[in-house]
């Protein structure tokens, strides 16, 4: 049996670097990886005892946690950082499938931590430079004591089913032929379920019932938490919100369009429904 891949555990630190430290270093949205010349489909993040030994020196770093026993750091590279030989810069979407699930999880977390670090250098109340808190993932203002935590933005996504068909939507920026599910950001003061019903009504004009939790997924583009639901169609005719969508339509389980990529909770919602619908 192949060995079990190590698990990722996030930790705000302190995390002592060792020669086995993994560095999740981002240039903009893209992660620096080493390409294995013997297996070009597999790649790994740089391993080094400290940031100065990386092939590209980072602008700033943050403790990230552990991958198995190996310490991990998140790092931000300059926007014009060069591409070292034998390396590549990969977006998280392109990284998927080229590393195991724990490394992908660590990379998604690292992206959000370094994004937060980069965009929270100064207090938004009094403009003082912020200081990292000890023992938790936050920054505190030495001037006014305001505290800043990494931002997580909740959004809902819902599979609306009606017997053997589901509601799918197309946004203008989707790849050609691909349809997704109704999704949208939670507003201040709104419950997740109210958000689901509002987004379906706004985007497609339909009413739904039986809103049931499915699962959730961190979506580091840049800091969403996607909360997935299934719901039943309860009435109405489709009226597409052309400000947001190109199209919304019902699709039968035997003639689904191109689906979102396997890493997405949208795809997991559709596959879970399809296997249920095929069984019934
Ligand atoms: Zn302040």
């Amino acid at each position: 049996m192949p060995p079990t891949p190590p698990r990722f555990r996030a930790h705000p630190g302190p995390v002592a670097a060792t020669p086995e430290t993994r560095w999740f270093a981002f240039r903009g949205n893209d992660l620096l990886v080493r390409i294995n010349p013997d297996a070009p489909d597999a790649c790994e993040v740089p391993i080094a005892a400290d940031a100065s030994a990386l092939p590209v020196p980072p602008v700033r770093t943050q403790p990230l946690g552990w991958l198995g026993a190996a310490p991990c750091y998140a790092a931000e590279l300059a926007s014009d950082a060069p591409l070292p030989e034998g390396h590549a810069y990969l977006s998280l979407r392109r990284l998927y499938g080229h590393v195991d699930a724990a490394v992908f999880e660590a990379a998604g977390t690292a992206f959000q931590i370094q994004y937060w670090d980069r965009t929270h250098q100064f207090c938004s109340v009094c403009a003082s430079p912020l200081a990292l808190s000890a023992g938790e993932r936050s920054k505190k203002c030495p001037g006014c004591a305001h505290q800043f935590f990494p931002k997580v933005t909740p959004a809902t996504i819902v599979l609306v089913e009606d017997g053997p068909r589901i509601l799918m939507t197309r946004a203008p920026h989707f790849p050609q032929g691909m349809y997704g599910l109704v999704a949208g950001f939670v507003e201040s003061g709104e419950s997740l379920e109210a958000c689901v019903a509002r987004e379906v009504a706004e985007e497609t004009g339909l009413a739904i019932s039986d809103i049931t939790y499915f699962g959730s997924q961190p979506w580091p583009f840049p800091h969403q938490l996607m909360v997935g639901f299934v719901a039943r169609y309860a009435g109405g005719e489709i009226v597409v919100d052309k400000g947001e969508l190109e199209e919304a339509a019902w699709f039968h389980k035997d003639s689904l369009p191109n689906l979102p990529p396997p890493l997405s909770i949208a795809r997991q919602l559709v596959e879970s429904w399809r296997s249920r619908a095929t069984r019934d």
Side-chain angles (χ1 to χ4, degrees):
M1 245 170 58
T4 311
R7 284 181 51 226
F8 170 64
R9 287 175 299 136
H11 197 277
V15 173
T18 74
E20 287 303 306
T21 300
R22 269 65 172 164
W23 295 86
F24 293 83
F26 286 85
R27 183 181 75 177
N29 293 330
D30 298 334
L31 180 71
L32 177 67
V33 293
R34 288 194 312 186
I35 302 298
N36 181 342
D38 299 323
D41 257 4
C43 55
E44 51 191 29
V45 296
I47 299 173
D50 59 75
S52 65
L54 288 174
V56 189
V59 177
R60 53 178 71 92
T61 66
Q62 284 281 331
L64 182 64
W66 288 275
L67 194 59
C72 298
Y73 270 75
E76 177 197 340
L77 305 177
S79 58
D80 60 353
L83 176 63
E85 199 181 334
H87 290 68
Y89 288 108
L90 294 185
S91 69
L92 289 172
R93 284 185 173 91
R94 284 196 57 206
L95 182 73
Y96 183 77
H98 296 287
V99 293
D100 69 44
V103 175
F104 189 74
E105 182 188 348
T109 307
F111 176 78
Q112 297 192 58
I113 296 303
Q114 63 84 37
Y115 181 88
W116 168 70
D117 189 24
R118 170 158 56 92
T119 55
H120 288 76
Q121 289 290 305
F122 297 93
C123 177
S124 60
V125 180
C126 75
S128 302
L130 295 176
L132 268 184
S133 306
E136 67 173 10
R137 187 79 74 190
S138 76
K139 294 185 181 188
K140 199 165 184 181
C141 176
C144 72
H146 199 88
Q147 209 168 358
F148 296 85
F149 295 90
K151 186 172 175 180
V152 177
T153 305
T156 64
I157 181 163
V158 59
L159 179 137
V160 179
E161 59 174 283
D162 180 33
R165 59 181 195 161
I166 53 172
L167 177 67
M168 299 196 77
T169 59
R170 237 197 89 72
H173 65 272
F174 282 7
Q176 203 177 359
M178 195 195 92
Y179 281 71
L181 302 175
V182 171
F185 291 109
V186 180
E187 294 185 349
S188 297
E190 188 174 51
S191 72
L192 296 170
E193 291 81 358
C195 174
V196 168
R198 177 182 54 76
E199 288 289 345
V200 173
E202 283 178 2
E203 291 191 5
T204 69
L206 300 181
I208 56 173
S209 65
D210 302 286
I211 299 168
T212 308
Y213 178 70
F214 172 82
S216 67
Q217 178 182 54
W219 194 244
F221 306 104
H223 41 58
Q224 276 97 278
L225 175 68
M226 299 300 293
V227 189
F229 290 85
V230 292
R232 284 185 202 285
Y233 167 67
E237 293 293 324
I238 292 176
V239 180
V240 179
D241 173 7
K242 288 287 185 184
E244 289 226 14
L245 298 178
E246 203 170 87
E247 204 194 335
W250 293 105
F251 286 91
H252 190 273
K253 67 176 165 38
D254 297 329
S255 56
L256 293 176
N258 292 345
L259 299 176
L263 84 165
S264 64
I265 193 168
R267 179 65 169 270
Q268 292 157 25
L269 275 157
V270 174
E271 297 295 358
S272 168
W273 169 79
R274 178 149 65 180
S275 63
R276 257 190 302 125
T278 306
R279 256 197 333 267
D280 293 345

